[in-house]
Amino acid sequence: MLYRLRPPGRLTWCDVPGYAICRADDQPPPDWERLSWVPAETRAFSNDLLRIAVRYGVRSGLGIVVDARHTVDLGRADELRCDLIAAAHARTGARVAVEGDVRAWERTEAAARVAEQDLAELLAVPVQAHLVEHWHRLGGHLTRP
């Protein structure tokens, strides 16, 4: 799956294998705008998503295209924590957590820390300056690459 980010903050996706953007031997590069892009409903545009795109994406006529595999850890830590909180409330309501819940919290927190570390490693890769320039030329803003 591919995501296309467009200024000022639009996000669309298409069901094309992500490896399509990794092919360095494509000459000329594909016309990404010819794909069938639809609004993303399961992921929102965010500054962190844009920060990933300027590291791992490719230029398209109207924005930046990025393989969705690079976005897996984006928001994962919060999702893990929120899911556990929701499950705990569903099970116990306002009761105090029992020993099993404490172990679940510890496991979830460990998994959340791993997801945060994985995201940090993604964002440690240097930005592609030409993608930042392209984003700015299209009228986009990037506060912190």
Side-chain angles (χ1 to χ4, degrees):
M1 180 169 77
L2 301 175
Y3 286 121
R4 181 182 60 177
L5 293 78
R6 294 176 53 195
R10 286 175 268 172
L11 181 63
T12 54
W13 74 277
C14 73
D15 191 17
V16 170
Y19 69 81
I21 67 171
C22 298
R23 298 214 26 208
D25 58 348
D26 287 338
Q27 296 296 329
D31 182 0
W32 300 111
E33 299 308 323
R34 295 188 72 191
L35 297 175
S36 296
W37 297 98
V38 295
E41 295 177 1
T42 58
R43 179 174 298 283
F45 183 96
S46 69
N47 192 55
D48 281 343
L49 180 59
L50 179 57
R51 292 174 66 208
I52 290 170
V54 297
R55 287 165 170 79
Y56 298 96
V58 295
R59 287 180 0 169
S60 76
L62 299 174
I64 299 174
V65 175
V66 67
D67 181 345
R69 289 179 293 176
H70 295 296
T71 68
V72 171
D73 292 314
L74 186 59
R76 181 77 178 130
D78 286 341
E79 182 181 312
L80 288 166
R81 291 176 179 125
C82 288
D83 287 350
L84 184 62
I85 290 169
H89 281 283
R91 259 192 339 271
T92 63
R95 289 186 311 146
V96 176
V98 294
E99 186 176 319
D101 288 338
V102 171
R103 283 193 298 274
W105 282 102
E106 290 169 350
R107 284 191 307 273
T108 298
E109 190 56 31
R113 282 194 213 109
V114 169
E116 288 171 339
Q117 181 60 39
D118 291 345
L119 179 59
E121 289 173 11
L122 279 173
L123 295 174
V125 170
V127 301
Q128 298 180 61
H130 72 279
L131 290 178
V132 174
E133 293 167 8
H134 176 64
W135 186 255
H136 289 151
R137 271 193 306 275
L138 293 173
H141 300 282
L142 179 58
T143 56
R144 184 184 63 162

